Amino acid sequence: MTHKIILDTDPGIDDAMAILFAEAHPAIELLAITTVFGNATIENGTRNALWLKQKYGMQADVAQGAAAPLRRDPVGPTTVVHGPTGFGDVQAGAVTLTPDPRPAWQYIVETVKAHPGEITLVTIGPLTNLALALEAAPEVAALVKQVVVMGGAFGVNGHRGNVTPYAEANIHDDPEAADRVFTADWPVVIIGLDVTQQSFFSSAYLDALRDQAGEPGRFLWDVSRFYLRFYSERVGLDGCHVHDPSAIAYVIDPSLFTLREGPVRVVDSGPAIGHTLQKFDGKAHPHDGWAGYPAQRVGVAVRDQALLALYRDTLTAWGRGR
């Protein structure tokens, strides 16, 4: 079975890991890469996406999206984690390609309408483009196959936040957009820190990928150097968590993850801004901001070794075939 996806991304380092994973796996048809602010500015992120498309001969369209959140003050690009332009020590070379003329939200709306019931939206950055698509054309919610989000943290497995004590970066960057996406009447799967921080690309794993996966493996090794320095200096780990590639892994093999059902809301102001909360007990309350919203699914466990093997095998086969 082939999954048509639009990958909505803020191309930083783990985004590049996810983009190549989606391009490499035969079960994924990567229709488009839509860009959003986040790890990099929208200009740098779009350039990074176009450069990867050019470098690897991808057929996917690239459409530039939102440069800022819907309402909150922007927090700025995550240069401490992803470097000055998003790809750490690696600088995108000359790019001769140009993006699709449509803004990302319009590209999403028109493409979903052209392929009703077929497209999975995979989001690995702030959710602004999806919120704008819903605002412009609420009917697309009924036409999307599913939405898979890398974002959020629900306190499972001890994971609560990575940019504040209770917020994950993609949700924190635009919490209002996230709340709109999570409460819309379409099927959402949230692959958050609860599972992405349970999987780990060790430095030895990335060394092996460099040696076994051809040029893509060497690129991923190069682009990960800045990322691993951050993890070593700030987190004390010899490697990095598997954030964005986990969303692609879910699309390929949902059995890798255990999910929990219930409506999800997002705090959009105050010290807990960006905090994601799922009601999963079914109890009735006299005051309930979750009532009446669709049950969405949140990842609570992952078969991490199987996920790591899937990524390694996919990139190795693709790299050797190039």
Short mmCIF file of all heavy atoms in Angstrom, two decimals, residues 58-107:
data_model
loop_
_atom_site.label_atom_id
_atom_site.label_comp_id
_atom_site.label_asym_id
_atom_site.label_seq_id
_atom_site.Cartn_x
_atom_site.Cartn_y
_atom_site.Cartn_z
N MET A 58 14.11 14.96 -6.17
CA MET A 58 12.76 14.65 -5.72
C MET A 58 11.72 15.21 -6.69
O MET A 58 11.89 16.29 -7.25
CB MET A 58 12.52 15.26 -4.33
CG MET A 58 13.42 14.71 -3.24
SD MET A 58 13.05 15.53 -1.66
CE MET A 58 14.31 14.78 -0.62
N GLN A 59 10.62 14.49 -6.84
CA GLN A 59 9.50 14.95 -7.66
C GLN A 59 8.53 15.82 -6.87
O GLN A 59 7.66 16.47 -7.45
CB GLN A 59 8.76 13.75 -8.24
CG GLN A 59 9.60 12.91 -9.18
CD GLN A 59 10.14 13.71 -10.36
OE1 GLN A 59 9.37 14.33 -11.09
NE2 GLN A 59 11.45 13.73 -10.51
N ALA A 60 8.63 15.82 -5.56
CA ALA A 60 7.69 16.56 -4.70
C ALA A 60 7.69 18.05 -5.01
O ALA A 60 8.75 18.65 -5.24
CB ALA A 60 8.04 16.33 -3.23
N ASP A 61 6.50 18.65 -5.01
CA ASP A 61 6.41 20.10 -5.06
C ASP A 61 6.91 20.68 -3.74
O ASP A 61 6.89 20.01 -2.70
CB ASP A 61 4.95 20.53 -5.26
CG ASP A 61 4.38 20.09 -6.59
OD1 ASP A 61 5.13 20.01 -7.58
OD2 ASP A 61 3.16 19.80 -6.64
N VAL A 62 7.33 21.93 -3.78
CA VAL A 62 7.66 22.68 -2.57
C VAL A 62 6.82 23.95 -2.57
O VAL A 62 6.82 24.69 -3.56
CB VAL A 62 9.16 23.03 -2.49
CG1 VAL A 62 9.44 23.94 -1.29
CG2 VAL A 62 10.01 21.76 -2.41
N ALA A 63 6.07 24.18 -1.50
CA ALA A 63 5.24 25.39 -1.38
C ALA A 63 5.60 26.09 -0.07
O ALA A 63 5.65 25.46 0.98
CB ALA A 63 3.76 25.05 -1.41
N GLN A 64 5.84 27.39 -0.16
CA GLN A 64 6.21 28.16 1.03
C GLN A 64 4.98 28.56 1.82
O GLN A 64 3.96 28.97 1.26
CB GLN A 64 6.98 29.41 0.62
CG GLN A 64 7.44 30.27 1.79
CD GLN A 64 8.45 31.32 1.38
OE1 GLN A 64 9.50 31.01 0.83
NE2 GLN A 64 8.13 32.58 1.65
N GLY A 65 5.09 28.44 3.15
CA GLY A 65 3.95 28.71 4.01
C GLY A 65 4.16 29.87 4.95
O GLY A 65 4.87 30.84 4.65
N ALA A 66 3.55 29.73 6.12
CA ALA A 66 3.46 30.83 7.08
C ALA A 66 4.82 31.24 7.62
O ALA A 66 5.66 30.39 7.93
CB ALA A 66 2.54 30.44 8.23
N ALA A 67 5.00 32.54 7.77
CA ALA A 67 6.25 33.08 8.31
C ALA A 67 6.17 33.38 9.79
O ALA A 67 7.19 33.67 10.42
CB ALA A 67 6.62 34.36 7.56
N ALA A 68 4.96 33.31 10.38
CA ALA A 68 4.77 33.69 11.78
C ALA A 68 3.51 33.01 12.31
O ALA A 68 2.67 32.55 11.54
CB ALA A 68 4.64 35.21 11.90
N PRO A 69 3.35 32.94 13.64
CA PRO A 69 2.17 32.32 14.23
C PRO A 69 0.89 33.10 13.92
O PRO A 69 0.93 34.25 13.49
CB PRO A 69 2.46 32.34 15.73
CG PRO A 69 3.87 32.75 15.88
CD PRO A 69 4.29 33.45 14.65
N LEU A 70 -0.25 32.45 14.20
CA LEU A 70 -1.54 33.11 13.99
C LEU A 70 -1.69 34.34 14.86
O LEU A 70 -2.15 35.39 14.40
CB LEU A 70 -2.67 32.13 14.31
CG LEU A 70 -2.82 30.90 13.42
CD1 LEU A 70 -3.96 30.04 13.93
CD2 LEU A 70 -3.03 31.28 11.96
N ARG A 71 -1.31 34.22 16.14
CA ARG A 71 -1.63 35.30 17.09
C ARG A 71 -0.49 35.63 18.03
O ARG A 71 -0.25 36.81 18.31
CB ARG A 71 -2.88 34.90 17.88
CG ARG A 71 -3.39 35.96 18.84
CD ARG A 71 -4.81 35.66 19.31
NE ARG A 71 -4.93 34.37 19.99
CZ ARG A 71 -4.69 34.16 21.28
NH1 ARG A 71 -4.30 35.16 22.05
NH2 ARG A 71 -4.85 32.97 21.81
N ARG A 72 0.19 34.65 18.56
CA ARG A 72 1.19 34.92 19.59
C ARG A 72 2.41 35.62 18.99
O ARG A 72 2.65 35.58 17.78
CB ARG A 72 1.62 33.63 20.28
CG ARG A 72 2.54 32.72 19.47
CD ARG A 72 3.33 31.78 20.37
NE ARG A 72 4.15 32.53 21.30
CZ ARG A 72 4.80 32.01 22.35
NH1 ARG A 72 4.70 30.72 22.59
NH2 ARG A 72 5.51 32.76 23.14
N ASP A 73 3.20 36.26 19.84
CA ASP A 73 4.45 36.85 19.38
C ASP A 73 5.41 35.73 18.98
O ASP A 73 5.56 34.74 19.71
CB ASP A 73 5.09 37.69 20.50
CG ASP A 73 4.30 38.95 20.82
OD1 ASP A 73 3.57 39.43 19.92
OD2 ASP A 73 4.40 39.44 21.96
N PRO A 74 6.09 35.86 17.83
CA PRO A 74 7.02 34.80 17.41
C PRO A 74 8.15 34.63 18.41
O PRO A 74 8.63 35.61 19.01
CB PRO A 74 7.56 35.32 16.06
CG PRO A 74 6.56 36.33 15.60
CD PRO A 74 5.99 36.95 16.84
N VAL A 75 8.57 33.38 18.60
CA VAL A 75 9.70 33.12 19.50
C VAL A 75 11.03 33.10 18.75
O VAL A 75 12.08 33.09 19.36
CB VAL A 75 9.52 31.79 20.26
CG1 VAL A 75 8.27 31.85 21.12
CG2 VAL A 75 9.45 30.61 19.31
N GLY A 76 10.99 33.12 17.42
CA GLY A 76 12.20 33.16 16.61
C GLY A 76 12.75 31.79 16.29
O GLY A 76 12.39 30.79 16.93
N PRO A 77 13.61 31.69 15.27
CA PRO A 77 14.15 30.40 14.87
C PRO A 77 15.00 29.76 15.95
O PRO A 77 15.61 30.45 16.77
CB PRO A 77 14.99 30.72 13.62
CG PRO A 77 15.27 32.18 13.72
CD PRO A 77 14.12 32.79 14.43
N THR A 78 15.05 28.43 15.95
CA THR A 78 15.74 27.68 17.01
C THR A 78 17.21 27.48 16.63
O THR A 78 17.67 26.36 16.41
CB THR A 78 15.04 26.33 17.24
OG1 THR A 78 13.63 26.50 17.16
CG2 THR A 78 15.39 25.76 18.60
N THR A 79 17.95 28.58 16.54
CA THR A 79 19.32 28.51 16.06
C THR A 79 20.24 27.73 17.00
O THR A 79 21.22 27.14 16.56
CB THR A 79 19.88 29.92 15.83
OG1 THR A 79 19.75 30.68 17.05
CG2 THR A 79 19.12 30.63 14.72
N VAL A 80 19.93 27.73 18.30
CA VAL A 80 20.79 27.03 19.25
C VAL A 80 20.77 25.52 19.00
O VAL A 80 21.75 24.82 19.30
CB VAL A 80 20.37 27.34 20.71
CG1 VAL A 80 19.00 26.78 21.04
CG2 VAL A 80 21.41 26.83 21.69
N VAL A 81 19.69 25.01 18.41
CA VAL A 81 19.57 23.58 18.14
C VAL A 81 19.91 23.25 16.69
O VAL A 81 20.56 22.23 16.41
CB VAL A 81 18.13 23.09 18.44
CG1 VAL A 81 18.02 21.59 18.23
CG2 VAL A 81 17.73 23.46 19.86
N HIS A 82 19.49 24.13 15.76
CA HIS A 82 19.58 23.81 14.33
C HIS A 82 20.55 24.70 13.56
O HIS A 82 20.67 24.55 12.34
CB HIS A 82 18.19 23.89 13.69
CG HIS A 82 17.23 22.87 14.24
ND1 HIS A 82 17.13 21.59 13.74
CD2 HIS A 82 16.35 22.95 15.27
CE1 HIS A 82 16.21 20.93 14.44
NE2 HIS A 82 15.73 21.72 15.37
N GLY A 83 21.24 25.59 14.24
CA GLY A 83 22.22 26.43 13.56
C GLY A 83 21.59 27.65 12.92
O GLY A 83 20.38 27.82 12.90
N PRO A 84 22.42 28.51 12.34
CA PRO A 84 21.95 29.81 11.85
C PRO A 84 20.97 29.74 10.69
O PRO A 84 20.12 30.63 10.54
CB PRO A 84 23.23 30.54 11.44
CG PRO A 84 24.26 29.46 11.28
CD PRO A 84 23.89 28.39 12.24
N THR A 85 21.05 28.70 9.85
CA THR A 85 20.13 28.61 8.71
C THR A 85 19.30 27.34 8.72
O THR A 85 18.54 27.09 7.79
CB THR A 85 20.90 28.70 7.37
OG1 THR A 85 21.83 27.60 7.29
CG2 THR A 85 21.65 30.01 7.26
N GLY A 86 19.42 26.51 9.76
CA GLY A 86 18.57 25.34 9.91
C GLY A 86 19.25 24.00 9.76
O GLY A 86 18.77 23.00 10.30
N PHE A 87 20.35 23.95 9.00
CA PHE A 87 21.04 22.68 8.77
C PHE A 87 22.39 22.61 9.48
O PHE A 87 23.34 21.99 8.99
CB PHE A 87 21.22 22.44 7.26
CG PHE A 87 19.98 21.89 6.57
CD1 PHE A 87 19.96 21.75 5.19
CD2 PHE A 87 18.85 21.52 7.29
CE1 PHE A 87 18.82 21.25 4.54
CE2 PHE A 87 17.72 21.02 6.65
CZ PHE A 87 17.71 20.89 5.27
N GLY A 88 22.48 23.24 10.64
CA GLY A 88 23.69 23.15 11.44
C GLY A 88 24.89 23.71 10.72
O GLY A 88 24.88 24.86 10.27
N ASP A 89 25.95 22.90 10.60
CA ASP A 89 27.18 23.33 9.95
C ASP A 89 27.09 23.27 8.43
O ASP A 89 27.98 23.75 7.74
CB ASP A 89 28.35 22.44 10.41
CG ASP A 89 28.57 22.49 11.91
OD1 ASP A 89 28.42 23.58 12.49
OD2 ASP A 89 28.88 21.43 12.50
N VAL A 90 26.04 22.63 7.91
CA VAL A 90 25.89 22.46 6.47
C VAL A 90 25.15 23.66 5.89
O VAL A 90 24.11 24.06 6.41
CB VAL A 90 25.12 21.16 6.14
CG1 VAL A 90 24.85 21.04 4.65
CG2 VAL A 90 25.89 19.95 6.65
N GLN A 91 25.69 24.22 4.83
CA GLN A 91 25.04 25.33 4.15
C GLN A 91 24.48 24.84 2.82
O GLN A 91 25.19 24.22 2.02
CB GLN A 91 26.03 26.46 3.89
CG GLN A 91 26.58 27.11 5.15
CD GLN A 91 25.53 27.87 5.91
OE1 GLN A 91 24.73 28.59 5.33
NE2 GLN A 91 25.51 27.70 7.22
N ALA A 92 23.20 25.10 2.58
CA ALA A 92 22.61 24.75 1.29
C ALA A 92 23.36 25.49 0.18
O ALA A 92 23.65 26.68 0.30
CB ALA A 92 21.13 25.11 1.27
N GLY A 93 23.67 24.77 -0.88
CA GLY A 93 24.37 25.37 -2.01
C GLY A 93 23.44 26.16 -2.90
O GLY A 93 22.32 26.50 -2.52
N ALA A 94 23.90 26.43 -4.12
CA ALA A 94 23.09 27.18 -5.07
C ALA A 94 21.81 26.41 -5.39
O ALA A 94 21.83 25.20 -5.59
CB ALA A 94 23.89 27.43 -6.34
N VAL A 95 20.70 27.13 -5.41
CA VAL A 95 19.40 26.53 -5.70
C VAL A 95 18.83 27.18 -6.95
O VAL A 95 18.68 28.40 -7.02
CB VAL A 95 18.42 26.71 -4.51
CG1 VAL A 95 17.05 26.17 -4.87
CG2 VAL A 95 18.96 26.03 -3.27
N THR A 96 18.53 26.35 -7.94
CA THR A 96 17.96 26.86 -9.19
C THR A 96 16.46 26.66 -9.27
O THR A 96 15.82 27.18 -10.18
CB THR A 96 18.63 26.17 -10.39
OG1 THR A 96 18.42 24.75 -10.29
CG2 THR A 96 20.13 26.45 -10.41
N LEU A 97 15.88 25.93 -8.33
CA LEU A 97 14.45 25.66 -8.33
C LEU A 97 13.70 26.79 -7.63
O LEU A 97 14.26 27.51 -6.82
CB LEU A 97 14.17 24.34 -7.60
CG LEU A 97 14.89 23.09 -8.11
CD1 LEU A 97 14.53 21.89 -7.24
CD2 LEU A 97 14.54 22.82 -9.57
N THR A 98 12.42 26.91 -7.95
CA THR A 98 11.56 27.89 -7.28
C THR A 98 10.35 27.16 -6.70
O THR A 98 9.93 26.11 -7.22
CB THR A 98 11.08 28.98 -8.25
OG1 THR A 98 10.42 28.36 -9.37
CG2 THR A 98 12.25 29.81 -8.75
N PRO A 99 9.77 27.70 -5.64
CA PRO A 99 8.61 27.03 -5.05
C PRO A 99 7.36 27.21 -5.90
O PRO A 99 7.29 28.10 -6.77
CB PRO A 99 8.46 27.72 -3.69
CG PRO A 99 9.11 29.05 -3.86
CD PRO A 99 10.21 28.86 -4.85
N ASP A 100 6.37 26.38 -5.62
CA ASP A 100 5.05 26.54 -6.21
C ASP A 100 4.55 27.95 -5.89
O ASP A 100 4.81 28.47 -4.81
CB ASP A 100 4.11 25.49 -5.59
CG ASP A 100 2.76 25.43 -6.27
OD1 ASP A 100 1.88 26.26 -5.97
OD2 ASP A 100 2.58 24.53 -7.12
N PRO A 101 3.85 28.60 -6.83
CA PRO A 101 3.43 29.99 -6.57
C PRO A 101 2.36 30.13 -5.50
O PRO A 101 2.18 31.23 -4.96
CB PRO A 101 2.89 30.44 -7.94
CG PRO A 101 2.53 29.19 -8.67
CD PRO A 101 3.52 28.16 -8.20
N ARG A 102 1.67 29.04 -5.15
CA ARG A 102 0.61 29.13 -4.15
C ARG A 102 1.18 29.11 -2.74
O ARG A 102 2.15 28.41 -2.48
CB ARG A 102 -0.35 27.95 -4.31
CG ARG A 102 -1.18 27.99 -5.57
CD ARG A 102 -1.85 26.65 -5.82
NE ARG A 102 -0.90 25.63 -6.25
CZ ARG A 102 -1.22 24.38 -6.58
NH1 ARG A 102 -2.49 23.99 -6.49
NH2 ARG A 102 -0.29 23.53 -6.97
N PRO A 103 0.59 29.84 -1.80
CA PRO A 103 0.98 29.68 -0.40
C PRO A 103 0.63 28.27 0.06
O PRO A 103 -0.28 27.62 -0.48
CB PRO A 103 0.15 30.73 0.33
CG PRO A 103 -1.01 31.01 -0.56
CD PRO A 103 -0.51 30.81 -1.97
N ALA A 104 1.32 27.80 1.08
CA ALA A 104 1.18 26.41 1.51
C ALA A 104 -0.27 26.04 1.83
O ALA A 104 -0.74 24.97 1.45
CB ALA A 104 2.07 26.15 2.72
N TRP A 105 -0.99 26.92 2.55
CA TRP A 105 -2.37 26.58 2.92
C TRP A 105 -3.21 26.33 1.68
O TRP A 105 -4.03 25.40 1.66
CB TRP A 105 -3.00 27.67 3.79
CG TRP A 105 -3.27 28.97 3.09
CD1 TRP A 105 -2.50 30.09 3.11
CD2 TRP A 105 -4.40 29.29 2.26
NE1 TRP A 105 -3.05 31.08 2.34
CE2 TRP A 105 -4.23 30.61 1.81
CE3 TRP A 105 -5.54 28.58 1.85
CZ2 TRP A 105 -5.13 31.25 0.97
CZ3 TRP A 105 -6.45 29.20 1.00
CH2 TRP A 105 -6.25 30.52 0.58
N GLN A 106 -3.02 27.15 0.62
CA GLN A 106 -3.79 26.99 -0.61
C GLN A 106 -3.38 25.71 -1.34
O GLN A 106 -4.24 24.98 -1.87
CB GLN A 106 -3.60 28.21 -1.51
CG GLN A 106 -4.44 28.16 -2.79
CD GLN A 106 -4.21 29.37 -3.68
OE1 GLN A 106 -3.53 30.33 -3.31
NE2 GLN A 106 -4.80 29.34 -4.87
N TYR A 107 -2.08 25.44 -1.36
CA TYR A 107 -1.61 24.20 -1.98
C TYR A 107 -2.25 23.00 -1.29
O TYR A 107 -2.72 22.07 -1.95
CB TYR A 107 -0.08 24.10 -1.89
CG TYR A 107 0.44 22.86 -2.58
CD1 TYR A 107 0.90 22.92 -3.89
CD2 TYR A 107 0.43 21.62 -1.94
CE1 TYR A 107 1.34 21.78 -4.54
CE2 TYR A 107 0.85 20.48 -2.58
CZ TYR A 107 1.31 20.57 -3.88
OH TYR A 107 1.73 19.42 -4.53
#
